[in-house]
Amino acid sequence: PSAGCGSLRLCSTRGSLRGINKAVVDRILRVDHAGEYGANRIYAGQLAVLGRSSVGPVIQQMWNQEKDHLKKFSELMVAYRVRPTVLLPVWNVAGFVLGAGSALLGKKGAMACTVAVEESISDHYNSQIRTLMEEDPEKYKELLQTIKKFRDDELEHHDIGLEHDAE
């Protein structure tokens, strides 16, 4: 790696910052970081209420994936020099309240919340994929791979919710 770079991946990302549509990337990363932060808080709220129930391990498994998503978007925010939304304190409280509140309705309420949230996030990711594909699929290859993988994870969470009586 070149001098002054702690991580090869971040160096390669910094090198490729030239020519990107900064406004588009900033918006995508800020929204995705906030969304994954909110999702983490929702699962934390659900687990606080239903952690010892039969659905606790399922919620924990989905939350673990969301933690990975948040970690990746946090890294990308640094690499692309994007500031987080000023609304993070709101997402912190609102996400936890939504998760705990839906879980207080029982397993079905928690899973209905999961299905609704994950469906919305998946639609959002699909829209971002279209935007980046129209911009330049080669230039945004790494970001596209990340978003596609996370979209697939969210769709899996959606389906898990349906399998656990979200209807």
Side-chain angles (χ1 to χ4, degrees):
S2 63
C5 254
S7 155
L8 186 60
R9 281 206 42 243
L10 292 182
C11 286
S12 69
T13 304
R14 280 206 188 98
S16 67
L17 287 179
R18 285 196 259 332
I20 68 159
N21 186 333
K22 182 93 169 103
V24 167
V25 171
D26 282 9
R27 185 179 69 243
I28 286 174
L29 290 179
R30 187 172 296 118
V31 164
D32 290 354
H33 177 263
E36 294 297 348
Y37 184 85
N40 269 271
R41 299 305 295 148
I42 289 170
Y43 284 118
Q46 288 183 349
L47 208 62
V49 175
L50 294 173
R52 293 171 187 246
S53 74
S54 63
V55 80
V58 175
I59 294 169
Q60 184 66 63
Q61 179 191 352
M62 292 188 289
W63 188 15
N64 289 342
Q65 280 187 307
E66 299 296 351
K67 288 176 186 177
D68 291 341
H69 296 179
L70 180 59
K71 181 176 184 273
K72 178 64 175 176
F73 279 121
S74 295
E75 291 168 0
L76 289 171
M77 297 276 283
V78 171
Y80 284 94
R81 298 184 178 109
V82 179
R83 66 165 181 76
T85 178
V86 297
L87 297 175
L88 278 187
V90 175
W91 294 160
N92 183 13
V93 175
F96 191 88
V97 168
L98 178 59
S102 66
L104 286 170
L105 299 172
K107 174 182 147 183
K108 289 180 181 181
M111 290 299 134
C113 174
T114 296
V115 167
V117 168
E118 300 295 15
E119 189 173 317
S120 174
I121 292 172
S122 300
D123 290 346
H124 207 78
Y125 280 153
N126 281 331
S127 169
Q128 291 175 348
I129 290 165
R130 281 191 295 277
T131 297
L132 292 172
M133 291 296 287
E134 288 167 9
E135 285 281 328
D136 185 342
E138 198 50 44
K139 195 179 293 177
Y140 300 104
K141 186 176 177 181
E142 183 186 359
L143 191 53
L144 279 163
Q145 286 172 338
T146 298
I147 293 173
K148 285 176 183 176
K149 184 202 178 309
F150 291 176
R151 178 215 42 212
D152 293 347
D153 289 348
E154 307 301 356
L155 287 171
E156 185 185 329
H157 298 171
H158 171 273
D159 294 346
I160 288 169
L162 291 176
E163 288 165 17
H164 287 85
D165 307 317
E167 294 296 320

